[in-house]
Amino acid sequence: MKSANVNKLNEFYIGFKINQINKEFDLLRFGLDNIINIEVKQKSTLERVEKQLRQNRYYLSFIGKEVYSFTYLSEEDSFYQYDNSNQLIETNINTIAAILKEQDIKEIYDINRLFKPSNYLVSPFNATDQFLKGEYFLTQHQNNIKNDLIGLFKSNETCFASIVGVPGTGKTLLTYDIANDYIKKKYKVQIIHCANLNKGHHFLNEYEDWNISPIKNIHLALNDDFDLLIVDEAQRLKETQLKKIVESVKSLNVKCIFSYDPEQCLSNEESSRNIGSIIEEKISYKTHKLTKKIRTNKEIASFIKGLFNLNKINYNQNYPNIGIQYFASDDSVREYSLNLYNNDWKIINFTKSQFNELTYDEYQNPLFDNSHAVIGQEYDKVVIFIDEHFYYDEQQRLRATHVRGGAYAIDKMLYQNITRTRDKLTLIIVRNKPVLKAVQSILKENNSY
């Protein structure tokens, strides 16, 4: 660089990783109008160089500046550029030197604020267009699981496998990415979703070769021929349904993936079936566990952990994206939540009873989706309710009394609702000052009200 008369070699970020997804860049420098990215390797294939620079360009494009992408291979002392026509071309030191000289360096006070992880964590249901265009990348951990499953399925024999992950680990994206890969390779894939289908499911079903059925149509789905069966939200299966699935897969001599989160049950009956353990211990040849949360940001994850267990409050974490509102009247709750709804917040109701009027029906609006309707989905701005049924037990864990006439456990629905959040969360607390006080303590707010 010095031989090319480049004197400005400061302000480079070295080995920066994007929070949560651990995407790493060797060298980054930010200008007023552009970003320079240089990867440094001893040796590599041109295919790998192009793939990495293409990914880097994708991640950096969200900052909204022109991106210059280069790789230097030291063993052959050569430079390559991923240019604006999305082609990998060989270049030289003079090209990079000219760009470095002309860049007006912009001082960055907090590089992490430039990268919003939710931009890169595409949902097959809420960003279906992006998903189908392949405008996303899996993490290394997700890719390892995917490759392992593909290797497991290479035999001609029946095979069962499972993908397990709590909210935010990228379980749904990985599951549907695998389905998409097999569909592109002209295999017939049948997906059974263990709930009602959402808008994203219906959108996918409009595309050729996508076949997604709700659990209520399990018999029709299993009567079809398929090469791969994917059972999504499998923790909600009944034992008779699980038995039917296993029999069908074995009779067709095909492959099956169960995708589930054991904690995402919405009733005590679902929990007591313990379907996840049955799959893991008696059916699945191999269980792949996603452990690192990549979708939920650290602030939201920390708040949820503290909310459900006051012993796990992280007082070093700030919560600028968490809001609370307290109301004693149902009318006020309805008015306030409707106002948020009209300002693009996703308000999530507790699921109604088919037969009985429930206490929370009084403050909820039928315009809003309920716990069952949002299964597997995620939203940038979420509003949830906490009413007088909730309390903290002697171990400081959040519990809930049974709602008379209700078929579903309200505490389990709360967990389902709150874990749909990606960026911002508002809690509407209804007639429950002890929980209000606890939430204020998590947020380090003044407890006077």
Side-chain angles (χ1 to χ4, degrees):
M1 288 294 178
K2 289 184 177 180
S3 67
N5 296 317
V6 179
N7 297 314
K8 293 195 300 182
L9 291 172
N10 57 320
E11 301 297 334
F12 273 98
Y13 283 88
I14 303 173
F16 169 72
K17 290 184 179 180
I18 300 176
N19 280 338
Q20 298 171 229
I21 59 178
N22 281 335
K23 170 59 185 172
E24 185 173 7
F25 303 87
D26 287 349
L27 292 165
L28 282 179
R29 193 168 79 175
F30 299 88
L32 295 176
D33 304 309
N34 55 47
I35 303 168
I36 296 172
N37 166 223
I38 304 172
E39 297 297 316
V40 183
K41 299 184 179 301
Q42 182 178 353
K43 61 181 179 179
S44 184
T45 66
L46 294 185
E47 182 182 4
R48 289 180 178 176
V49 168
E50 180 176 359
K51 180 180 179 182
Q52 183 181 37
L53 293 183
R54 184 172 69 251
Q55 289 185 354
N56 290 5
R57 173 79 63 84
Y58 168 76
Y59 286 111
L60 294 169
S61 67
F62 287 89
I63 298 175
K65 300 177 185 291
E66 186 175 6
V67 179
Y68 293 102
S69 306
F70 301 94
T71 291
Y72 174 66
L73 301 180
S74 65
E75 193 171 86
E76 57 186 72
D77 191 28
S78 58
F79 282 95
Y80 294 90
Q81 180 179 9
Y82 191 66
D83 65 13
N84 290 331
S85 62
N86 298 326
Q87 299 291 323
L88 185 71
I89 60 172
E90 188 167 3
T91 187
N92 56 55
I93 187 67
N94 294 323
T95 301
I96 302 176
I99 294 170
L100 287 169
K101 287 178 183 178
E102 293 174 4
Q103 187 181 42
D104 291 323
I105 298 173
K106 178 178 175 61
E107 187 174 358
I108 305 297
Y109 296 100
D110 182 1
I111 188 173
N112 290 297
R113 294 179 67 87
L114 297 178
F115 295 89
K116 187 178 179 183
S118 59
N119 283 334
Y120 319 119
L121 305 172
V122 170
S123 164
F125 309 141
N126 303 108
T128 314
D129 272 332
Q130 278 181 268
F131 171 74
L132 288 170
K133 291 176 183 176
E135 294 178 352
Y136 64 91
F137 293 100
L138 300 180
T139 65
Q140 187 60 52
H141 184 40
Q142 289 172 316
N143 267 317
N144 290 342
I145 291 175
K146 177 180 176 178
N147 292 334
D148 196 53
L149 280 169
I150 291 172
L152 191 65
F153 288 169
K154 282 184 178 177
S155 74
N156 294 323
E157 299 179 356
T158 299
C159 187
F160 295 91
S162 53
I163 300 171
V164 184
V166 299
T169 53
K171 170 176 55 67
T172 300
L173 177 59
L174 174 58
T175 301
Y176 279 76
D177 173 81
I178 293 170
N180 197 30
D181 260 23
Y182 275 90
I183 289 170
K184 287 179 178 178
K185 293 172 183 174
K186 302 303 179 184
Y187 289 99
K188 186 167 184 183
V189 178
Q190 176 68 59
I191 301 174
I192 296 177
H193 180 68
C194 298
N196 292 326
L197 301 191
N198 57 48
K199 291 179 181 178
H201 287 126
H202 291 301
F203 193 94
L204 287 170
N205 272 337
E206 291 177 4
Y207 282 78
E208 187 179 3
D209 299 327
W210 278 87
N211 296 289
I212 308 171
S213 300
I215 188 63
K216 63 184 178 183
N217 294 341
I218 182 173
H219 295 292
L220 291 174
L222 294 179
N223 281 339
D224 263 350
D225 288 330
F226 49 82
D227 302 298
L228 171 63
L229 176 67
I230 293 177
V231 185
D232 192 22
E233 303 292 340
Q235 76 277 1
R236 306 191 66 231
L237 286 168
K238 296 177 181 177
E239 289 189 37
T240 54
Q241 294 169 332
L242 179 59
K243 183 180 178 181
K244 179 68 175 172
I245 287 168
V246 172
E247 290 174 350
S248 297
V249 170
K250 286 182 176 179
S251 68
L252 291 170
N253 191 29
V254 293
K255 321 299 181 190
C256 176
I257 297 174
F258 295 100
S259 178
Y260 58 94
D261 172 8
E263 300 300 319
Q264 289 284 346
C265 295
L266 297 181
S267 70
N268 292 325
E269 181 188 353
E270 286 180 2
S271 295
S272 65
R273 294 178 202 147
N274 209 7
I275 292 297
S277 293
I278 295 173
I279 292 172
E280 188 170 336
E281 295 170 10
K282 298 181 179 180
I283 300 171
S284 181
Y285 293 19
K286 190 167 185 179
T287 300
H288 297 82
K289 294 189 177 182
L290 289 158
T291 54
K292 185 174 177 61
K293 291 192 176 186
I294 55 175
R295 187 193 70 205
T296 306
N297 66 43
K298 290 181 179 179
E299 177 189 349
I300 301 296
S302 175
F303 177 79
I304 293 173
K305 183 182 289 187
L307 176 68
F308 281 87
N309 187 342
L310 296 178
N311 294 313
K312 296 186 176 181
I313 295 176
N314 180 2
Y315 291 105
N316 294 318
Q317 175 69 52
N318 293 319
Y319 299 100
N321 295 301
I322 310 290
I324 50 174
Q325 294 291 334
Y326 180 85
F327 296 101
S329 121
D330 292 330
D331 289 340
S332 297
V333 175
R334 284 196 301 272
E335 180 181 354
Y336 181 73
S337 58
L338 183 60
N339 181 59
L340 290 176
Y341 175 79
N342 290 330
N343 283 280
D344 299 322
W345 284 77
K346 183 70 179 182
I347 294 90
I348 306 177
N349 284 339
F350 297 119
T351 302
K352 291 169 60 72
S353 167
Q354 289 181 299
F355 310 104
N356 303 308
E357 288 292 325
L358 306 178
T359 53
Y360 53 68
D361 293 338
E362 295 299 318
Y363 60 77
Q364 295 189 151
N365 191 317
L367 280 174
F368 311 149
D369 284 339
N370 61 36
S371 303
H372 285 73
V374 299
I375 288 173
Q377 299 183 78
E378 56 193 47
Y379 308 93
D380 287 339
K381 303 191 300 181
V382 170
V383 179
I384 57 99
F385 301 102
I386 298 178
D387 63 18
E388 60 266 50
H389 289 93
F390 291 88
Y391 67 95
Y392 284 96
D393 65 14
E394 293 180 355
Q395 286 75 44
Q396 299 295 290
R397 293 178 179 273
L398 187 64
R399 306 293 188 190
T401 57
H402 177 67
V403 180
R404 178 181 290 183
Y408 303 105
I410 193 171
D411 54 339
K412 296 182 185 301
M413 288 193 287
L414 175 65
Y415 183 72
Q416 161 75 9
N417 297 354
I418 201 170
T419 54
R420 302 304 95 204
T421 312
R422 293 208 300 189
D423 294 324
K424 294 180 181 292
L425 173 67
T426 291
L427 288 76
I428 296 180
I429 301 177
V430 186
R431 294 182 291 273
N432 195 328
K433 289 187 177 180
V435 169
L436 170 64
K437 186 175 181 179
V439 173
Q440 286 178 313
S441 71
I442 299 171
L443 303 183
K444 295 171 284 191
E445 292 187 353
N446 190 323
N447 287 330
S448 60
Y449 44 83

